[in-house]
């Protein structure tokens, strides 16, 4: 009995995921800033890279589910997803630039 994600989650997954991802992005950036400011250990910067990359992968999966019509979303939610993808990828690249 395979159900569509929209039936299970009542079409609210994308909006709830966007709320959570936005808050997590801010929290992860605060974590990154604190690690950068208070520690000299560059190896600890792998933690924010992993967190931003996991956020990026979750957002990519949501875009895939929307494009394959397994999730319903509005045009505004889709645009916000794309913006969040760019932000998370940009922050992961920013942190990675400190290793070079």
């Amino acid at each position: 009995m395979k159900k569509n994600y929209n039936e299970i989650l009542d079409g609210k997954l994308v909006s709830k995921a966007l709320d959570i991802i936005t808050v997590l992005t801010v929290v992860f950036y605060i974590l990154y800033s604190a690690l950068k400011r208070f520690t000299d250990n560059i190896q600890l910067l792998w933690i924010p890279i992993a967190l931003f990359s996991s956020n990026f992968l979750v957002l990519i999966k949501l875009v895939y589910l929307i494009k394959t019509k397994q999730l319903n979303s509005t045009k505004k939610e889709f645009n916000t997803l794309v913006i969040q993808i760019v932000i998370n990828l940009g922050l992961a690249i920013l942190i990675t630039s400190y290793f070079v």
Side-chain angles (χ1 to χ4, degrees), residues 17-74:
L18 282 172
D19 292 340
I20 292 170
I21 294 290
T22 303
V23 171
L24 287 178
T25 301
V26 171
V27 169
F28 295 161
Y29 189 76
I30 291 170
L31 173 71
Y32 159 69
S33 298
L35 284 173
K36 187 176 153 212
R37 177 155 175 98
F38 296 120
T39 65
D40 292 332
N41 190 356
I42 199 165
Q43 296 298 324
L44 291 177
L45 290 180
W46 283 106
I47 296 169
I49 288 174
L51 294 174
F52 282 120
S53 299
S54 64
N55 260 356
F56 175 74
L57 292 175
V58 168
L59 291 168
I60 290 291
K61 178 68 174 184
L62 285 174
V63 168
Y64 171 76
L65 290 174
I66 289 170
K67 285 298 185 182
T68 58
K69 305 290 188 215
Q70 294 180 20
L71 280 178
N72 291 336
S73 75
T74 63

Side-chain angles (χ1 to χ4, degrees), residues 72-85:
N72 291 336
S73 75
T74 63
K75 185 72 170 170
K76 182 180 176 183
E77 288 174 342
F78 184 77
N79 290 340
T80 307
L81 269 175
V82 171
I83 291 169
Q84 281 294 326
I85 287 172

Side-chain angles (χ1 to χ4, degrees), residues 86-98:
V86 170
I87 289 171
N88 277 290
L89 185 61
L91 288 172
I93 291 170
L94 172 75
I95 297 169
T96 307
S97 69
Y98 281 101

